[in-house]
Every structure is written in structure tokens, then in C-alpha cells.
Amino acid sequence: MTAPSSELAPLPLVPGTWTLDTAHSAISFQIRHLGVTNVRGRFDTFSATLAVGETLQSVAVEASIDLASINTNQADRDAHLRSTDFFDLAAHPAMTFVSSSISGSGEEYELTGDLSINGVTKPVTFAVEFYGVDTHPADGRVRSGFSATGEIKRSDYGINFNMPLGAGKLALADKVKIELDLQFIAP
């Protein structure tokens, strides 16, 4: 007997639109600074939905991040990141993600979709770990949890600001690591 493919196997989530529990979720990033350390930051305002169908092929994720909510714990740096040198909030106030495919099974998945920043849309793939499903003891609602990690090149999105340091080094790396911890509430 052949085991069903992951795309056709039953999902551990009930069908419907799961909403993001922002109080128990986080979107963060890190970028190499001066070639010697990582600067970390997060976005404080974001939304997402997880639409679950009967099979893995019918799962869809959509997310929007308010770029004005960037927080690196340094006000001057955050103001610079909101400027035309980086995010150009006046023209592009949000970063968005729309999934195009998901594959995997058990606890390990890959989520691919279109990430839009500064009016540029590029495909990106996240490694996703499924933490499971449980009922919240305070409100009795079913929750699911995930982590996701990925990398982008900021130059792919027209974010090219940098300062040369000499000897071929730049103040900021091109590669940005993205980390998500997401908790969704069942429909």
C-alpha cells in the first residue's frame, strides 16, 4: 500500500480561515552591520490570514506588514529606515506576502509566495515548522503555531542605500534574515 502524498494527506487543521493572534506572534529580521555584528529589528503592526482547505494544495497565506511600525530600538535608525533611502513609506507603506505553494508534511514545510516591498514583487521561500494545535485555556479557542525563516536580498527590492567602509566592505550586508513566529486562531 502506498502512503498518500503530502499534498493529498488530510491536514491537522480544520478547514476555514484562521486569523492571526498578534498578541502571540512576532515578525523580526536581522542584517549584518559593519561586517562584525548583526542588527536585529521587528515590525510591531502586521496582519495575516491562513486559509485552510481539505488538502495542502488548498492552503493559502496572506500577510501585510505596516512598515511604519519598524522597531530596531533606536529611534534615529528607525526614522532613516522609513525614509526614501530604504522603505519610502510615503509611496509604499506596507510590505505584503501572498503564498503560491506549500509543500511538506508533519512538522516541516516549505512556503513559497510573492513578497512585495517598495513596489517590487519577488518570489521567496520560507522554511516552516508546524508546532501543533491546542486549545487556549483562558478562552477555549483552538490555536495553531508556526515558525518560519527565510532570507532576501534587499537589493532585489531596490533598497540599495549603503556606506562604503574601505577595503571593499560596506556598512550593511545585502542579505536580510527574516524570522516569524505565528499563532493562528481557528475559525
Side-chain angles (χ1 to χ4, degrees), residues 36 56 157:
V36 297
L56 193 56
Y157 297 91

Side-chain angles (χ1 to χ4, degrees), residues 134-155:
D134 210 336
T135 301
H136 193 289
D139 64 15
R141 298 179 73 187
V142 174
R143 312 289 174 110
S144 64
F146 303 85
S147 71
T149 57
E151 294 180 355
I152 62 169
K153 289 184 177 181
R154 59 190 184 91
S155 61

Side-chain angles (χ1 to χ4, degrees), residues 13-19 133-134 141-144 184-187:
L13 304 175
V14 297
T17 300
W18 293 63
T19 56
V133 178
D134 210 336
R141 298 179 73 187
V142 174
R143 312 289 174 110
S144 64
F184 288 91
I185 303 170

Side-chain angles (χ1 to χ4, degrees), residues 26-30 40-41 126 147-150 177-181:
I27 297 176
S28 58
F29 63 90
Q30 68 179 29
R40 299 176 190 276
F126 291 97
S147 71
T149 57
K177 294 180 181 180
I178 301 169
E179 299 173 357
L180 303 103
D181 285 296

Side-chain angles (χ1 to χ4, degrees), residues 3-69:
S5 76
S6 63
E7 285 79 20
L8 300 176
L11 299 176
L13 304 175
V14 297
T17 300
W18 293 63
T19 56
L20 187 67
D21 179 354
T22 56
H24 296 101
S25 298
I27 297 176
S28 58
F29 63 90
Q30 68 179 29
I31 186 169
R32 184 75 46 119
H33 182 253
L34 302 178
V36 297
T37 190
N38 289 314
V39 171
R40 299 176 190 276
R42 67 180 188 269
F43 294 96
D44 293 331
T45 305
F46 49 90
S47 62
T49 57
L50 170 64
V52 177
E54 297 296 328
T55 66
L56 193 56
Q57 291 177 325
S58 62
V59 172
V61 178
E62 290 191 18
S64 180
I65 299 169
D66 177 3
L67 293 174
S69 73

Side-chain angles (χ1 to χ4, degrees), residues 69-160:
S69 73
I70 195 164
N71 185 341
T72 65
N73 292 319
Q74 210 282 328
D76 289 340
R77 178 174 48 221
D78 294 345
H80 189 204
L81 290 169
R82 292 180 187 109
S83 77
T84 56
D85 285 341
F86 291 93
F87 290 134
D88 191 9
L89 292 188
H92 307 286
M95 176 187 331
T96 60
F97 176 81
V98 177
S99 67
S100 57
S101 69
I102 186 167
S103 61
S105 63
E107 295 177 357
E108 305 295 325
Y109 294 86
E110 275 197 353
L111 175 67
T112 299
D114 292 325
L115 181 66
S116 298
I117 306 171
N118 283 354
V120 177
T121 301
K122 298 277 186 182
V124 63
T125 298
F126 291 97
V128 177
E129 184 176 353
F130 174 55
Y131 291 147
V133 178
D134 210 336
T135 301
H136 193 289
D139 64 15
R141 298 179 73 187
V142 174
R143 312 289 174 110
S144 64
F146 303 85
S147 71
T149 57
E151 294 180 355
I152 62 169
K153 289 184 177 181
R154 59 190 184 91
S155 61
D156 287 347
Y157 297 91
I159 303 171
N160 298 309

